[in-house]
């Protein structure tokens, strides 16, 4: 997991071409007018932006989510977001089994820590993060 200012993260060279492209796109477009929906940034669909308005649950009511194939970048637009985090190595309580189609699964374990992400920042979750 990486947390930082959008403009700082866009300058990193992480060693993953698609992630670098995604961070540059976020830096260039994070102040655009927000419209929900999916935007594909390349022809084969391996780089996409899911713009969603989600109901923020209070701390302790959130379930940990994880992905096996995708890197998940959270970018709050207007309000800060507090997110629980845990390494999947230590999780045992699967509440929704892995969906190959949606590349997502959920855990009922307690987060190991919480982070607050503010507008102008983003957090990157890797497949080993929940």
């Amino acid at each position: 997991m990486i947390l930082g200012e959008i403009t700082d993260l866009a300058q990193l060279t992480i060693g993953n071409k698609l992630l670098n492209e995604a961070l540059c796109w976020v830096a260039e477009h994070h102040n655009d007018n927000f419209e929900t929906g999916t935007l594909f940034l390349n022809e084969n669909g391996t780089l996409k932006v899911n713009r969603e308005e989600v109901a923020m649950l209070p701390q302790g009511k959130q379930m940990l989510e994880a992905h096996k194939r995708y890197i998940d970048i959270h970018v709050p637009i207007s309000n800060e977001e507090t997110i629980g985090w845990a390494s999947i190595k230590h999780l045992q309580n699967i509440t929704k089994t892995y969906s190959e189609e949606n590349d997502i699964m959920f855990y009922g374990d307690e987060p190991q820590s919480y982070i607050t992400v503010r507008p102008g920042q983003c957090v990157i979750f890797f497949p080993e993060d929940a």
Side-chain angles (χ1 to χ4, degrees):
M1 186 258 320
I2 300 172
L3 169 66
E5 298 292 320
I6 290 170
T7 52
D8 294 339
L9 292 177
Q11 296 176 37
L12 294 177
T13 303
I14 296 179
N16 180 311
K17 183 181 180 224
L18 289 176
L19 180 55
N20 290 334
E21 287 179 36
L23 291 171
C24 287
W25 186 91
V26 168
E28 188 175 327
H29 295 280
H30 74 277
N31 288 321
D32 291 357
N33 289 330
F34 180 79
E35 295 180 27
T36 60
T38 300
L39 176 66
F40 291 94
L41 302 182
N42 60 7
E43 290 182 19
N44 62 8
T46 57
L47 187 57
K48 68 180 179 177
V49 176
N50 287 324
R51 296 174 290 190
E52 303 171 330
E53 282 189 62
V54 295
M56 295 291 129
L57 297 173
Q59 187 171 318
K61 299 288 183 188
Q62 306 164 339
M63 289 200 314
L64 295 167
E65 73 176 59
H67 307 278
K68 291 184 179 183
R69 294 189 320 263
Y70 293 110
I71 295 171
D72 197 0
I73 304 172
H74 285 243
V75 183
I77 303 299
S78 57
N79 297 310
E80 65 182 33
E81 181 179 359
T82 299
I83 303 170
W85 173 88
S87 169
I88 62 167
K89 293 178 195 173
H90 304 290
L91 300 178
Q92 299 175 358
N93 183 15
I94 297 172
T95 57
K96 187 173 179 188
T97 58
Y98 180 70
S99 164
E100 182 78 32
E101 179 182 344
N102 298 317
D103 185 44
I104 196 165
M105 66 188 305
F106 292 94
Y107 294 90
D109 302 74
E110 288 292 317
Q112 293 170 340
S113 63
Y114 288 91
I115 56 166
T116 299
V117 188
R118 294 177 172 80
Q121 298 177 325
C122 68
V123 61
I124 306 165
F125 295 100
F126 297 90
E128 58 270 12
D129 300 315

